[in-house]
Amino acid sequence: MEAAEYDLAYFRSNGFHRRACVVCGSPFWTLGDHDRCQEAPCRDYGFLGHPVFRRPYALREMREAFLGFFEHRGHTRLRRYPTVARWRNDVFFTQASIYDFQPWVTSGAIPPPANPLTISQPVLRFIDLEEVGRSGRHLTLFEMLAHHAFNRPDHEVYFKERTVELCHELFTAELGAPATGLTYKEEVWEGGGNLGPSLSVGLAGLEVATLVFMEYVRDGERLKPMPLTVVDTGYGLERLVWASQGTRTAYEAVFAGEYDELRRSFPPRETAILIDHARALNFLLTDGVVPSNGKEGYFARLLLRRMLRLLSKVPEAPSLVAILDRSGRELARDYPEIGEHRDDLARVVEAEIERYREALERARQTIRRQDAKYRAEGSRATEEDLLRWYDSLGVPPDVAVEELSQPPAIPEDFYARVAARHESERPTTDYVDASEGFPEVPASVPGTEVLYYLDPYTVAFEAHVVHVDGPFVVLERTYFYPTGGGQVADRGHLGDLEVIDVGRKGPHVLHRLERAAPWHPGDRVRGRIDPRRRTQLMQHHTATHLLNGALREVLGPHVWQAGAHKAPELARIDVTHFRSPSADELRRVDRLINAVVRENRPVKSYFESRTEAERRFGFTLYQGGAVPGKELRIVEIEGFDVEACGGTHCTHTSEVGAIQLVDVERIQDGIVRLSFASGERALELREEHEATLKEAARRLGVPPEKLPEGIDRLLGEVEESRKVAKARTRGDLEGMATSLLADPTRTAAVGPTTIIAATVDLDRAGLTELSRILSRADGRVVLLASEREGKGTLFAGSTASGVSALALIEQSRAVFQAKGGGNPSAATAVGEPGEPLQRALGAAREAARQAAGG
RNA sequence: GGGCACGUAGAUCAGCGGAAGAUCGCUGCUUUCGCAAAGCAGAGGUCGGGGGUUCAAAUCCCCCCGUGUCCA
């Protein structure tokens, strides 16, 4: 970044001077007389015991002071976004306030919900997990205070000058910090292909804010200006509170009452961890994360289990649920949604606690068994075992050690070594953008007016062509629905050409034709949408909302949509839930959705301001992920389900017709997938199922309602005949054994040993079985030859002491060029059939005779 | 999304290239007025599914499916 990027008129005209920090070397701007930037580690904390602001602020007061300050200066205050970034596929969690507006707002595809705006966004930083409680300031969840402005060439809100002015005024005039205490350090921010200058604001040793100016797109070595420049600021709410109070750690300042309560049972570090994790969990669980073994759910599990481990060491400590509840009540004062479903949240947590208990118990058993084994062989468990057990069984090393008679020392760097085990792993992403395969449209082409929102029933229309690119056509307006929101695209015709796909690229809807379009911008074309497909998709989409609403009703409000797909043949919805729904739960869901269909409730689709919609319906609106924009499209099934959704929907529930659940599966821990069909497709499926049922019944020769009994009878018969066959085979073998033993040409006694040698016609299993029967008594040597599929098998079995079946086989193997082996009591070789096999049998018999002492 | 571990009798698990096992539970018999207990006998297994390697696979390799766990 060039120095000119930071050389602001604001700095110049207000007497700031530019210095270079003598410690880190970075240039910074300040009104004070500092030789170093005012951030750790370049200088020590100067606020401990000496608060830097006018007065101490509690968390709530500081948040209000910030948001109020910016509100009075023309910013619109926004409510927080969910902490789970469902609208993005590259991250799990909202890690900064700007995440709320990426990618659509920052890319310019969709206007911001307000401009400029201010927000306090709870964000998660799991990278700091180990530092929580240790550093005195780190948290897995903190609130990022921010003011954002989005500047288009035709509409400049504000950029660097005003941003710095606002920031400086906030800290000095509003909060009362000494103007000379602040330093604005020059830095470069880069992320997601964008970059720009940034200023890091230091005060008394704390980095209190970062002011980022997203300005350029990286294009190889060169930098190109962005069409939309963005002011991205971040102020750590908890740090500001801390600085205002000057307590020893940030936790004491931020969590005052809770901290003191838990401090009675726990040391400072554990207290901080428990409070931090409880706070993070309250947000995560409220926002629909169900603890699981992967993805975002794992982080909830991680926090929960860490808490459980700490709690297990202090018997008189409050329960996990009690701590969560205490924290939740505190949070609910500012974020009422967190207090709304306390019982449900407790149920999710209890289920998870039970799982952990079971997992640990299983693991302990495994370790105990391994320990017994080690003891038996005179060895002992190693550090490597501890690592492996943690990795594969989830047993923390201190727990594992409890089960070992001779435990190894727990390595100091245990968790670092766990990390090292995972180093070589390369995560892959196979995400496919819905608009992939669709070409870019020049920005000069006017955006498409989408009409399916307003009227999903119109399937024929006329419109002017505004852009053609081979088979891709953009119209001024269209009724064709592009793939999005889990709903596949419409099909149909433009003119005489078939529309094979429809996609959305920013403000444009692209129709993909079977071949290159013959039209030019300005031509008027007629569009016809395949009405059957459209109807089916509408039914499936509305049915998805019905199902989602019913699942929340029946299973609990922790249920969130975690994905959905609506195709003409079948639809599916993935929801968060901690176990497979029971048959009874599914039956209740089925009853409920079909009842709502029968009641023929209106399904209203309309646009409403984000603020108003969130006020009325809350965060559960964002089932398909948060949708940026000032206006949300709301799809409301009256009195049942409300979601922000851009899909095409029926206007009354009865249009959905029948809904048929097809399959329910747990696609991963914490996620349940329901496949279903509605409308015509549901009837078709029902017919298919019925036909299958009838056909099965016909083949079994029973009426359909007797099918289960019929199958039981059939299975019984199969089992019976299997037994009979087995008994018969066994009987046959018994008979063979008896006649062989009675046959003097095949049986020879050598002292106490009886040698039986015979050629039979049996498969491998038969030879083994016959040998077993023949060698029920001690002192038997059995030699069996058999030919099958052009190969000769020689089997030897022995219960005679001093006669090794394996030795007999080894001695006769060469005679018929056989391969084989075995053990002293049974051995096999396979080689040439016919005469060589017979000679081998003779050789083996001779060897047996000698071994038996004859 | 990736790594690792695990799927063997109704349950808990052993076996980890050579003739499928243990414990509990189950059935029958003995003993008892009866129960419990004990003793004896017995039933119960396509060793998760599918390919491959091998004379021989529960065991080794590959691919699925399921479960657990750790890491992102």
Side-chain angles (χ1 to χ4, degrees), chain A residues 30-75:
Chain A
T30 186
L31 285 170
D33 185 25
H34 305 291
D35 62 353
R36 58 191 67 193
C37 69
Q38 295 296 293
E39 292 176 36
C42 295
R43 63 153 290 180
D44 296 336
Y45 290 160
F47 60 91
L48 301 178
H50 305 88
V52 287
F53 296 137
R54 183 173 295 124
R55 62 178 180 88
Y57 287 77
L59 191 72
R60 181 167 306 104
E61 294 172 323
M62 183 59 83
R63 187 193 297 116
E64 190 50 43
F66 182 96
L67 296 174
F69 174 86
F70 284 97
E71 231 171 4
H72 285 123
R73 283 155 186 80
H75 295 67

Side-chain angles (χ1 to χ4, degrees), chain A residues 720-735:
Chain A
E720 189 57 29
S721 56
R722 210 171 57 90
K723 276 186 191 164
V724 168
K726 206 171 157 185
R728 185 184 306 142
T729 311
R730 192 167 178 86
D732 290 351
L733 291 172
E734 293 279 356

Side-chain angles (χ1 to χ4, degrees), chain A residues 293-311:
Chain A
N293 62 5
K295 306 201 173 164
E296 56 269 44
Y298 178 69
F299 293 94
R301 172 167 289 176
L302 186 67
L303 294 176
L304 258 164
R305 293 189 172 184
R306 278 170 63 101
M307 287 181 78
L308 285 171
R309 259 179 260 163
L310 291 182
L311 292 174

Side-chain angles (χ1 to χ4, degrees), chain A residues 211-244:
Chain A
L211 313 173
V212 172
F213 306 101
M214 291 164 59
E215 204 175 352
Y216 301 105
V217 181
R218 186 176 280 288
D219 182 18
E221 285 294 291
R222 294 213 341 265
L223 300 182
K224 286 196 314 189
M226 282 167 69
L228 184 88
T229 63
V230 178
V231 173
D232 171 20
T233 64
Y235 300 68
L237 170 60
E238 290 79 358
R239 285 191 184 184
L240 297 186
V241 171
W242 186 25
S244 83

Side-chain angles (χ1 to χ4, degrees), chain A residues 114 492 678:
Chain A
S678 61

Side-chain angles (χ1 to χ4, degrees), chain A residues 462 773 852:
Chain A
E462 285 190 11
I773 294 167

Side-chain angles (χ1 to χ4, degrees), chain A residues 359-369 399 402-403:
Chain A
L360 266 190
E361 192 38 51
R362 262 197 309 273
R364 289 186 122 110
Q365 270 185 41
T366 304
I367 292 171
R368 256 177 259 143
R369 274 197 302 273
V399 175
E402 289 170 16
E403 303 296 333

Side-chain angles (χ1 to χ4, degrees), chain A residues 28 43 46 74-75 113 201 282 291 302-304 427 468 572 597 609 620 663 668 695 739 793 809 817 828 846-847 852:
Chain A
F28 62 87
R43 63 153 290 180
H75 295 67
V201 186
N282 266 306
L302 186 67
L303 294 176
L304 258 164
V468 176
R572 60 168 197 256
V597 168
S609 83
T620 53
D663 193 23
Q668 58 168 277
E695 177 58 16
S739 62
T793 304
I809 285 298
Q817 276 107 51
T828 325
E846 201 45 48

